Amino acid sequence: MSEHEHRTPVVFSTAHENDPHMQPAANNPDGMERRIALLFVVAFLLIVAFGYCYWVNAKAWTLGATMGGALFLLGVGLVAWGKYLMPKGPFVEERHDFASSDEEREAFAATIVERGGGVVKRRPVLGGLLGAGLGAFSIAALFPLLGSLGPRPKDTLDKTDWKAGDYLVDITGRRYNVNDMAIGSILTVFPEGKNDDPQAQNQDQVVLIRISDSDFTTQKGRENWGPSGYVAYSKLCTHLGCPVGLYEKKLQMLVCPCHQSMFDVRNGAIPNFGPAPRPLPQLPLKLDANGYILARDGFNQPVGPGYWERK
Amino acid sequence: MSDVAINTKREKKAQLGRYGKVGHVLNEMDDRLGVAKGGKTFMDKIFPDHWSFMLGEIALYSFVILMLTGIFLTLYYVPSQAVVLYKGSYLPLHGLHVTEAYASSINLTFAVRGGLLMRQMHHWACDIFVGSIVVHMCRVFFTGAFRKPRELNWSIGLTLLTLAIVNGFLGYSLPDDLVSGTGIRIAYSIILSIPVVGTHVAFWLFGGNFPGTVIISRFYILHVLIIPLVILGLVGGHLGLLVRQKHTQFKGEGRTEKNVVGSPMFPIFMAKTTGFLLLVGGVTALLGAFAQINPIWQFGPYDPEKISYAVQPDWYMGFLDGALRIFPAWSFHSFGYTIPLEVTIPAVVFPGIVFTLGYLWPTLERKYTKDNELHNLLDFPRDRPKRTAAGAGILSMLFMLFIASSTDVIANFMHISLNEVLLIMRVLVIISPFVGYIVTYYICKELQGVDGASQRKTPNIVTRTATGEYVAVAAPKNVNDQHVELEAVPVPNYVTSDEVVEATTSGVRTVER
């Protein structure tokens, strides 16, 4: 027994069965036990039902109803068991201070500062070189890590595939003739040959709207951009790049469904409501000899939302 | 008799001693790991009985459900943006070109038994997870549980909230349906809006310009492995600190800074908390069965030039979406560079300020009140009117921003113009923190002066005297309303009883053969 002599004797507490702390909280424990038993029985039956529903491939909601019901009832029963049938207490435990004694604190601080710091102070050159090496490593490691993740933006965001002479085609690749669209109709178009490319579908998407049957000028300096009443704007909202997919014919507005920016179709797509800061860039159009619609030129400014390098 | 070797079960049992096989196993474990002392302390750990302490448990258990249902989903989901021709069991989509991610999400919903239920449970559990974290943090904030020594655990909790929101967004994006795809597009534009580094960060994350071909697989590994691992580690740290520092508790008779009063871990808390896990699981399953959430088969696959109308994000993203809607179109453009303030401020700077304030709050409060003491007893919110009012002010503002994420729906529903809704929401968002602060402050002050606030009122008995005078006398308290609590005692290890036990040395009955 001598080997145990150094141990502090531990006094374990005891309680008598009749101690009020050991009594259940329920006024009628037997009745509570019966109720909990009933919950458990129903839960068991529901689990059996769940198995059956799964076996016969019943509708999805029956699986959830039986499993959820069973778990719920088991949970209620178990919580009630703990709350009403187990010793009601209350019980207490003491808290002990975290703080160590002054000597221990002193010793700890000395270990870190004196012993550890002393080593570094005595060899400042080594410490500095090690720091420089690890620092250089962490910076150098960033280059391949980040560089491999994706290309540098360069001017990707500034450009679209649209250039002078590109025919406007819909997502199936069909060209459009001047007589194909009624006044007030709208269509999403892409540069010919790019209509299948998801990258282009995002960056190049353009709404083509026919707003009248004669040439239409949306702004000064865009006199020949809207032949036969066809005007085209980038479909990327200048706020956050959602497709500006709603055309309010009565108001002649393009509306972005994401954050409700509104662009005035008749007036250069200037935003007159909502958070979008810039008009939708307009694509200059012309007609070929057979009346097919094509781009007179590319966009004269970047499309879509703002970013740091945007000129 | 004892010297006769009888190899019966009872004999063997007697040899094991009073605690039988369980005791034997515990002894063997203690020989190797020394678990007896710590294990005993852990089993005796006291959990306060107040209801508000279960909010964190909801968060923990919804995370358990997220992991279980999530594992199920990973078995069928394909994280690929490769385009395939859909020819699964959901006929309306037949013949459409969709990504494998979308096709496999539809497939696991309809063709896998129980798949729809698991997907809906996963989504509901996520909404509950984030929600319960927020409510749990409100409890911790308004009762001052974050004060010294628990500042670190407050920071861990706030980090967990951030990660929960981020991972919720990532998971929401994975099915690659029309609605979530638009969400990714918006997230991309928000990253673009960060000055100087924004475009580079966006290109690193997406492997180029939006949409690219890698974002689904990158979101996938973040969503199912990296972020859950970090969450799991931080949850471990959160609970570890909780055990080390012990629970806080409300003031009350017998409750001091030096003790904890409540129920012990084993078996009372264990029974309640396991029951609670089952309850959270049950509620999630019932929601998954009866409340449709995120019907991606109705949204259709993502297409960069398509868009849906009147769509709101998951609730925890609402405040960001609302801020983006109501912020004015102030773009800064100069020296050949653009700062899209209309995006940067509501979606980057504003949440940055809110979360930074959250991290700094314990330090700020310590500095401001010059209170450097350790606190284990909680405040009643009314006793700290300034803190409570500040919290209420911030929450009011966030709530108004959340409402603002539905401007279009409000305008449609109430038949008022979008312009008016926008204007009203701008005003409400700006004044709500001040109104919230002032109203809460004075409610707190009033409550401080009310004796017996938060206790149930007793009825008055009004009697008329012979002279016509009315006299009101407070009725005595109902017996059930009277809170009588025993003095708290340490958890007993042994429970003695008066029943006569046959006196044998081993404590085991012997049987004559």
Side-chain angles (χ1 to χ4, degrees):
Chain A
M1 274 299 148
S2 60
E3 60 183 11
H4 291 301
E5 271 173 3
H6 63 282
R7 292 196 181 173
T8 330
V10 185
V11 183
F12 289 118
S13 55
T14 57
H16 192 268
E17 232 182 20
N18 298 330
D19 185 327
H21 292 91
M22 301 309 290
Q23 306 311 311
N27 292 330
N28 176 9
D30 291 340
M32 182 57 72
E33 188 179 352
R34 280 194 295 276
R35 270 172 246 165
I36 296 174
L38 180 66
L39 291 180
F40 285 170
V41 169
V42 177
F44 178 81
L45 294 175
L46 281 171
I47 291 169
V48 174
F50 171 76
Y52 174 76
C53 287
Y54 185 86
W55 184 255
V56 301
N57 200 6
K59 286 213 162 74
W61 71 265
T62 59
L63 296 177
T66 47
M67 182 173 77
L71 290 177
F72 188 84
L73 295 181
L74 284 176
V76 172
L78 195 48
V79 169
W81 187 355
K83 191 171 164 65
Y84 296 115
L85 294 184
M86 292 188 185
K88 69 177 173 190
F91 300 103
V92 65
E93 82 178 322
E94 299 304 310
R95 274 178 216 278
H96 304 287
D97 287 338
F98 294 123
S100 317
S101 69
D102 287 350
E103 291 77 20
E104 286 163 329
R105 284 181 177 220
E106 160 90 29
F108 187 44
T111 306
I112 301 293
V113 178
E114 302 288 330
R115 194 200 300 165
V119 171
V120 181
K121 267 186 215 153
R122 200 174 303 156
R123 306 262 181 263
V125 179
L126 282 186
L129 288 176
L130 180 65
L134 290 177
F137 173 73
S138 50
I139 292 169
L142 278 181
F143 284 101
L145 187 67
L146 293 179
S148 314
L149 276 178
R152 284 166 57 199
K154 295 191 180 147
D155 59 353
T156 321
L157 289 165
D158 304 336
K159 295 206 168 134
T160 67
D161 295 313
W162 288 102
K163 55 185 189 303
D166 276 343
Y167 280 93
L168 278 60
V169 296
D170 66 12
I171 193 124
T172 63
R174 183 193 155 192
R175 290 182 184 180
Y176 278 79
N177 190 277
V178 68
N179 298 319
D180 283 347
M181 283 170 66
I183 293 168
S185 51
I186 177 173
L187 186 73
T188 303
V189 293
F190 309 92
E192 193 171 36
K194 293 283 183 184
N195 48 309
D196 272 338
D197 175 6
Q199 251 0 79
Q201 282 173 3
N202 174 61
Q203 189 82 353
D204 301 343
Q205 51 181 307
V206 157
V207 276
L208 178 66
I209 305 172
R210 188 168 195 192
I211 49 181
S212 73
D213 51 5
S214 55
D215 292 0
F216 195 90
T217 307
T218 62
Q219 258 184 3
K220 238 182 142 184
R222 299 180 180 180
E223 276 75 17
N224 51 9
W225 287 20
S228 297
Y230 282 93
V231 292
Y233 294 105
S234 161
K235 201 181 174 183
L236 280 182
C237 184
T238 55
H239 181 221
L240 287 164
C242 292
V244 184
L246 284 176
Y247 178 43
E248 274 283 346
K249 217 192 288 185
K250 227 191 289 175
L251 301 171
Q252 295 280 300
M253 292 279 178
L254 277 169
V255 185
C256 178
C258 285
H259 303 99
Q260 286 77 47
S261 295
M262 293 186 189
F263 302 90
D264 189 345
V265 172
R266 299 178 73 88
N267 188 20
I270 287 174
N272 65 0
F273 181 80
R278 284 178 302 277
L280 300 169
Q282 187 177 353
L283 186 73
L285 302 178
K286 63 179 181 185
L287 304 175
D288 73 0
N290 299 321
Y292 283 97
I293 307 165
L294 61 161
R296 182 179 290 277
D297 206 347
F299 285 109
N300 61 3
Q301 54 176 308
V303 299
Y307 48 94
W308 175 248
E309 294 90 344
R310 191 181 191 280
K311 294 278 184 293
Chain B
M1 221 176 111
S2 59
D3 55 341
V4 183
I6 305 173
N7 208 10
T8 62
K9 275 186 182 175
R10 189 168 287 126
E11 188 80 358
K12 278 185 182 166
K13 199 176 170 188
Q15 277 175 356
L16 286 169
R18 182 170 175 177
Y19 303 111
K21 275 195 179 141
V22 176
H24 173 72
V25 170
L26 290 176
N27 283 342
E28 294 292 317
M29 273 166 68
D30 191 55
D31 283 348
R32 290 160 179 81
L33 304 166
V35 291
K37 193 178 170 197
K40 155 90 175 102
T41 313
F42 188 60
M43 291 298 140
D44 283 356
K45 178 178 164 49
I46 296 291
F47 291 78
D49 287 327
H50 196 270
W51 63 268
S52 65
F53 285 75
M54 66 159 190
L55 298 167
E57 287 174 59
I58 302 182
L60 180 66
Y61 296 141
S62 46
F63 184 63
V64 171
I65 294 159
L66 278 172
M67 286 195 294
L68 294 176
T69 52
I71 289 170
F72 180 94
L73 296 177
T74 57
L75 300 177
Y76 305 100
Y77 175 76
V78 183
S80 156
Q81 277 164 281
V83 176
V84 294
L85 186 69
Y86 181 79
K87 40 180 189 256
S89 58
Y90 187 64
L91 295 178
L93 294 172
H94 259 223
L96 279 184
H97 288 276
V98 301
T99 58
E100 272 190 280
Y102 184 74
S104 61
S105 302
I106 296 291
N107 183 51
L108 76 84
T109 303
F110 291 122
V112 175
R113 229 177 259 199
L116 174 62
L117 178 67
M118 287 293 154
R119 239 200 70 226
Q120 302 217 111
M121 279 179 73
H122 194 69
H123 203 127
W124 273 117
C126 171
D127 282 351
I128 295 172
F129 182 48
V130 184
S132 53
I133 294 178
V134 170
V135 184
H136 172 61
M137 284 185 76
C138 288
R139 193 276 287 177
V140 168
F141 181 84
F142 288 117
T143 59
F146 59 84
R147 290 172 298 172
K148 190 176 174 183
R150 296 183 179 78
E151 303 99 324
L152 178 61
N153 231 9
W154 166 261
S155 305
I156 293 179
L158 196 53
T159 311
L160 281 168
L161 172 66
T162 318
L163 291 171
I165 290 176
V166 169
N167 217 28
F169 175 77
L170 295 177
Y172 176 81
S173 302
L174 289 181
D176 204 23
D177 57 272
L178 185 54
V179 173
S180 74
T182 310
I184 306 181
R185 167 74 237 199
I186 292 174
Y188 185 81
S189 304
I190 290 173
I191 299 171
L192 279 188
S193 82
I194 302 168
V196 188
V197 294
T199 50
H200 289 88
V201 174
F203 271 60
W204 286 326
L205 192 58
F206 283 70
N209 196 3
F210 183 84
T213 53
V214 298
I215 195 59
I216 290 290
S217 54
R218 285 188 183 173
F219 274 15
Y220 178 70
I221 201 68
L222 283 169
H223 177 75
V224 304
L225 180 73
I226 297 172
I227 295 183
L229 270 186
V230 179
I231 290 181
L232 210 54
L234 287 177
V235 166
H238 201 66
L239 297 180
L241 280 177
L242 176 142
V243 171
R244 171 89 179 123
Q245 298 180 326
K246 296 201 167 77
H247 276 80
T248 54
Q249 60 186 350
F250 279 105
K251 291 165 194 150
E253 217 172 302
R255 289 156 171 81
T256 68
E257 292 279 4
K258 293 276 171 200
N259 69 11
V260 199
V261 175
S263 306
M265 176 76 168
F266 187 78
I268 301 173
F269 179 75
M270 225 176 238
K272 285 194 208 169
T273 200
T274 311
F276 211 63
L277 167 64
L278 297 171
L279 267 177
V280 175
V283 170
T284 314
L286 290 173
L287 281 170
F290 294 113
Q292 187 187 65
I293 191 163
N294 204 24
I296 51 168
W297 58 93
Q298 293 176 7
F299 300 154
Y302 179 63
D303 230 330
E305 81 281 359
K306 292 211 178 77
I307 184 89
S308 188
Y309 181 62
V311 179
Q312 269 60 45
D314 262 341
W315 75 268
Y316 46 84
M317 284 288 172
F319 79 103
L320 273 183
D321 198 55
L324 281 166
R325 281 175 190 228
I326 65 167
F327 200 79
W330 294 342
S331 193
F332 174 84
H333 182 88
S334 203
F335 310 113
Y337 291 104
T338 301
I339 305 177
L341 297 176
E342 80 281 3
V343 180
T344 318
I345 292 181
V348 181
V349 176
F350 171 70
I353 290 174
V354 171
F355 277 81
T356 309
L357 186 65
Y359 280 108
L360 290 181
W361 188 276
T363 316
L364 291 176
E365 188 177 311
R366 217 173 47 219
K367 291 245 164 79
Y368 181 75
T369 59
K370 299 192 175 58
D371 176 1
N372 211 28
E373 296 298 305
L374 293 166
H375 293 282
N376 294 318
L377 283 180
L378 295 172
D379 293 326
F380 289 115
R382 63 167 181 271
D383 293 336
R384 294 271 178 261
K386 282 184 185 167
R387 179 207 294 146
T388 306
I394 293 170
L395 285 179
S396 316
M397 186 179 187
L398 291 174
F399 183 70
M400 284 302 153
L401 286 170
F402 169 71
I403 300 286
S405 71
S406 302
T407 44
D408 51 340
V409 179
I410 295 170
N412 272 348
F413 188 73
M414 302 182 129
H415 298 288
I416 40 180
S417 86
L418 206 51
N419 299 46
E420 282 165 33
V421 178
L422 187 88
L423 207 66
I424 292 169
M425 286 322 300
R426 280 179 180 166
V427 172
L428 283 177
V429 165
I430 291 169
I431 65 166
S432 60
F434 300 101
V435 174
Y437 185 96
I438 294 166
V439 170
T440 313
Y441 185 83
Y442 283 103
I443 289 177
C444 290
K445 283 287 183 189
E446 286 297 317
L447 282 176
Q448 285 176 13
V450 180
D451 196 27
S454 82
Q455 279 168 12
R456 226 191 302 190
K457 278 185 184 156
T458 52
N460 282 345
I461 298 170
V462 183
T463 44
R464 204 182 114 170
T465 61
T467 53
E469 194 184 356
Y470 287 92
V471 183
V473 184
K477 270 194 170 180
N478 189 305
V479 196
N480 292 328
D481 284 351
Q482 281 173 17
H483 186 64
V484 191
E485 199 181 71
L486 301 162
E487 197 186 331
V489 295
V491 193
N493 301 88
Y494 307 104
V495 179
T496 55
S497 135
D498 291 336
E499 271 179 59
V500 185
V501 180
E502 281 182 61
T504 51
T505 45
S506 62
V508 174
R509 283 185 300 150
T510 51
V511 178
E512 294 299 327
R513 279 161 215 283

